[in-house]
Amino acid sequence: MHGSQLPWSAIQAGFQHQGETVFFAGKAPGIFKPKRMTAALSVKTTVPRGRRPTTYRDQESQTDRPTGLFPYDLQERRANPANEFLKRARDRRAPIIYFRGVKPAVYEPIWPVWVDQYQETEGRVLLAAADTAQPSISSAEAALPSANEVRDASHSLALVRRRNHQAWFSSRTKAAYDYRCALSRLPLRSLLVGAHIVPDAEDGPPSVNNGICMSTLHHAAFDAHLIGVDPDLRVHIADHVIAERDGPLLAALQGLNGTQLIVPTDPTAHPNRDYLDKRYSAFLAARR
């Protein structure tokens, strides 16, 4: 109904459960626990109206640089019950919702997130996020054992601990492109990812200007330098892909050659030309 950004009125409405309204968040408190629960359900960061000053550090910083996790300030009084509710969520490894303010009374929900570190002396927690489009399992999910779990001894479970700013980057990039592939206009959210222009391994920033929303197929082709995008947003397909002949899927990929990349309606979210130039140079080098 609202896309990736929710007005406070939609959050405040809550939902019905067994004839009772359960709220997602509280108007005043940043750490929220519904009456029926014994641990926190959500945390909220607001954007002040007008020129009102910020109150908490998390209103100004997006990620904790050393870890890539989301910092969130505890209530000022250490004995505040709200802090205890957040600590219980940490102890249970319970997933919660992070309503991050994008403008006054408008929030982007990031979920699920977990309380990865409870730093009482620093007066904050660090929240780990999972990007549901990624196939790896989060450290928090791995910490939820089941007494009835049966696992074939011939298989192993690989646990991948990702820098969590990538979940934020992917979420924001897909939202900026209105959840459509910038190459094919595919609208299936489960098949979309936020693709880096300058790769994370090359210190590409987790910024929407360094991202393009793509389907998983186009993302794989982009990373393999089968697809290139020049600084003028023109799409290029590698010569050897153009020369192939193998059915409608390949033909659709070939048909992108010479087309224009579809960009967000918000000009501030458009791809950075310098990032595109660097990535396009790598595409040209791979063709030699």
Side-chain angles (χ1 to χ4, degrees):
M1 291 174 62
H2 300 280
S4 64
Q5 297 185 0
L6 302 180
W8 172 245
S9 58
I11 300 170
Q12 190 179 33
F15 64 95
Q16 293 295 312
H17 176 68
Q18 296 182 352
E20 181 181 343
T21 300
V22 179
F23 295 103
F24 289 111
K27 186 172 183 179
I31 303 170
F32 179 73
K33 179 194 75 68
K35 289 188 297 182
R36 283 199 171 199
M37 295 179 67
T38 56
L41 172 63
S42 69
V43 294
K44 175 167 61 73
T45 295
T46 61
V47 174
R49 294 184 182 275
R51 297 184 178 179
R52 294 180 182 176
T54 56
T55 306
Y56 293 97
R57 292 168 296 179
D58 52 63
Q59 293 174 303
E60 300 173 352
S61 60
Q62 290 191 355
T63 57
D64 175 61
R65 280 190 173 275
T67 64
L69 302 174
F70 301 128
Y72 190 84
D73 281 0
L74 295 169
Q75 297 292 326
E76 291 182 355
R77 290 185 296 108
R78 300 294 169 82
N80 192 304
N83 294 338
E84 182 62 28
F85 299 149
L86 207 51
K87 184 182 288 186
R88 291 179 191 173
R90 187 279 309 268
D91 293 342
R92 299 173 189 174
R93 301 303 260 165
I96 63 175
I97 310 165
Y98 184 11
F99 291 109
R100 189 173 185 89
V102 292
K103 50 189 172 184
V106 179
Y107 301 85
E108 178 176 13
I110 306 174
W111 60 278
V113 300
W114 292 266
V115 181
D116 190 82
Q117 298 182 34
Y118 191 95
Q119 300 179 340
E120 189 167 11
T121 56
E122 289 88 350
R124 69 173 190 172
V125 296
L126 294 180
L127 303 173
D131 183 357
T132 53
Q134 301 298 328
S136 55
I137 185 170
S138 74
S139 59
E141 290 174 300
L144 293 172
S146 169
N148 299 318
E149 182 179 4
V150 177
R151 185 174 301 161
D152 192 324
S154 65
H155 295 79
S156 62
L157 179 62
L159 305 181
V160 180
R161 191 174 179 86
R162 296 189 309 277
R163 290 182 63 82
N164 288 275
H165 62 255
Q166 301 311 329
W168 174 246
F169 160 80
S170 185
S171 172
R172 293 301 297 271
T173 300
K174 290 183 286 187
Y177 284 78
D178 198 26
Y179 294 95
R180 286 183 178 273
C181 174
L183 294 160
S184 66
R185 298 194 66 81
L186 181 77
L188 301 179
R189 297 191 182 197
S190 60
L191 296 179
L192 299 178
V193 295
H196 283 83
I197 300 172
V198 178
D200 185 51
E202 298 176 19
D203 294 325
S207 160
V208 173
N209 306 113
N210 187 41
I212 301 173
C213 181
M214 296 184 182
S215 76
T216 51
L217 170 66
H218 295 97
H219 184 205
F222 187 64
D223 279 354
H225 299 301
L226 304 181
I227 294 177
V229 181
D230 67 31
D232 295 320
L233 304 177
R234 188 168 296 277
V235 179
H236 302 262
I237 303 299
D239 295 337
H240 68 278
V241 176
I242 295 292
E244 292 285 344
R245 294 290 180 270
D246 185 35
L249 188 60
L250 181 62
L253 195 63
Q254 294 166 336
L256 294 173
N257 195 45
T259 62
Q260 285 289 120
L261 189 77
I262 302 163
V263 295
T265 54
D266 180 2
T268 65
H270 286 191
N272 179 285
R273 286 179 60 90
D274 292 337
Y275 298 154
L276 287 172
D277 184 53
K278 182 176 181 178
R279 183 62 179 256
Y280 186 60
S281 295
F283 169 77
L284 293 177
R287 296 171 66 179
R288 298 193 185 106

